[in-house]
Amino acid sequence: MTDEQSIRNGDAAPAPVGVVLHQLRIEAGLTGAELGRMVEMSQSKISRIETGSTPVAPEDAGRLARALGAPADVVARLVESAEATQNRLTDMRSAAGSVTASQRSVARMEAGVREFRVFQPAVVVGLAQTSDYARAVLVAAHEVRKAAIPEADNVVIPEALSARVRRQEVLDDPDRRFFFLLTESVLASAVVAPEFMLAQIKRLRQLAVQPNVTLRIIPAAAPWTIAQLHGFELLDSKCVVIDVYNSSIITTGAQDIALYRHAFDRLDESATSDIDPILDKYRRHYRNLLD
């Protein structure tokens, strides 16, 4: 049975989408360049799709299959298979090679994004962190990683910090919108010394009045609308990025993106834009600790 027949018959383990598209192209007697001209796609992209070196977007899978004359049921199965592949979490550390490279990879993904939606229940949103706060977060994550991987080198900290701070340059683009959602417990957690927490609170206050930034806080007494399991960053409707101790996890699946957008909207129902009283509360708290 050919791989195309496997796709057609719905076998449990059909061939990868790229392999099937390659076979369809060969059967159609087309070169990659000829197919590329038909669908307005570069020959190199088609080659990467066929070899599996790059994931194929569901819309690209459908467009290529239809151009190659595949029956409607085969097109549908290829699109479904591509979607299922996208709904998988990818470890950016494995793909990029290091924590620093992971930060740079996320920055590249953020480069073309117009709307950022970020929820954090544990630490200040990465794009809003001061350098001292960011350093403390990265050091804490690195210490956990080093406990499991003793040979982990401390040199990654300044590199990763530099990469994270450079990511914040996107905030200066007035054509981009940022929706930051924090829990009050983030402010209560003394991630850094009181004087640095005061600087972080000042930074949040500055961002809150920036025209392209919406900063909302979920008060400690607010009822839960949905479980606050972990932080995440939703980039347009393209992907979701989840920060963990030693990496970033990404998914580009439509189902995953819809799930996280729903989660963000439900969490936002408990939040308030009247954040000055909350920020003032913790400013007084950390000032008292300095006395």
Side-chain angles (χ1 to χ4, degrees), residues 116 126-129 167-174 176 178 180 203 207 210 212-213:
F116 298 70
L127 289 174
Q129 292 174 1
R167 284 173 56 192
Q168 297 179 356
E169 293 175 1
V170 297
L171 290 164
D172 297 328
D173 187 342
R176 299 184 181 191
F178 302 86
F180 295 152
R203 172 63 172 159
L207 285 175
Q210 195 167 306
N212 62 339
V213 174

Side-chain angles (χ1 to χ4, degrees), residues 62-137:
R63 184 154 55 114
L64 288 167
R66 283 189 290 270
L68 291 167
D73 60 334
V74 174
V75 173
R77 288 188 181 278
L78 285 170
V79 170
E80 181 181 356
S81 181
E83 176 62 43
T85 299
Q86 282 201 333
N87 280 320
R88 296 175 182 171
L89 298 177
T90 301
D91 182 349
M92 293 301 294
R93 172 176 51 86
S94 298
S98 71
V99 177
T100 303
S102 172
Q103 289 291 324
R104 291 170 179 162
S105 295
V106 173
R108 285 193 292 271
M109 287 187 294
E110 292 174 339
V113 174
R114 311 315 299 174
E115 289 192 348
F116 298 70
R117 288 176 173 80
V118 191
F119 167 67
Q120 270 295 352
V123 296
V124 170
V125 172
L127 289 174
Q129 292 174 1
T130 64
S131 58
D132 291 302
Y133 192 101
R135 182 181 295 106
V137 171

Side-chain angles (χ1 to χ4, degrees), residues 1-15 77 81:
M1 180 180 293
T2 67
D3 293 316
E4 181 185 344
Q5 288 171 326
S6 295
I7 287 285
R8 181 192 296 274
N9 296 337
D11 290 359
R77 288 188 181 278
S81 181

Side-chain angles (χ1 to χ4, degrees), residues 19 37 64 80 84 87 90 100 109 112 115 119 165 172 180 185 189 195 199 202 208-209 227 242 255 267 272 281 287:
V19 171
R37 286 192 290 271
L64 288 167
E80 181 181 356
N87 280 320
T90 301
T100 303
M109 287 187 294
E115 289 192 348
F119 167 67
V165 170
D172 297 328
F180 295 152
S185 60
S189 298
E195 61 268 30
K202 180 179 180 181
V209 297
I242 305 167
Q255 292 177 358
L267 288 162
T272 178
K281 171 184 174 180
R287 279 183 173 176

Side-chain angles (χ1 to χ4, degrees), residues 237-291:
S237 296
K238 299 177 181 178
C239 68
V240 179
V241 181
I242 305 167
D243 283 335
V244 293
Y245 277 115
N246 62 337
S247 181
S248 293
I249 306 299
I250 180 174
T251 174
T252 57
Q255 292 177 358
D256 290 339
I257 291 168
L259 183 153
Y260 275 92
R261 178 57 192 269
H262 173 74
F264 187 92
D265 291 343
R266 290 296 309 278
L267 288 162
D268 190 57
E269 292 174 7
S270 298
T272 178
S273 296
D274 186 19
I275 65 173
D276 281 337
I278 298 175
L279 295 179
D280 288 343
K281 171 184 174 180
Y282 289 95
R283 182 180 59 183
R284 291 191 298 270
H285 169 68
Y286 290 113
R287 279 183 173 176
N288 289 337
L289 291 179
L290 287 175
D291 293 341

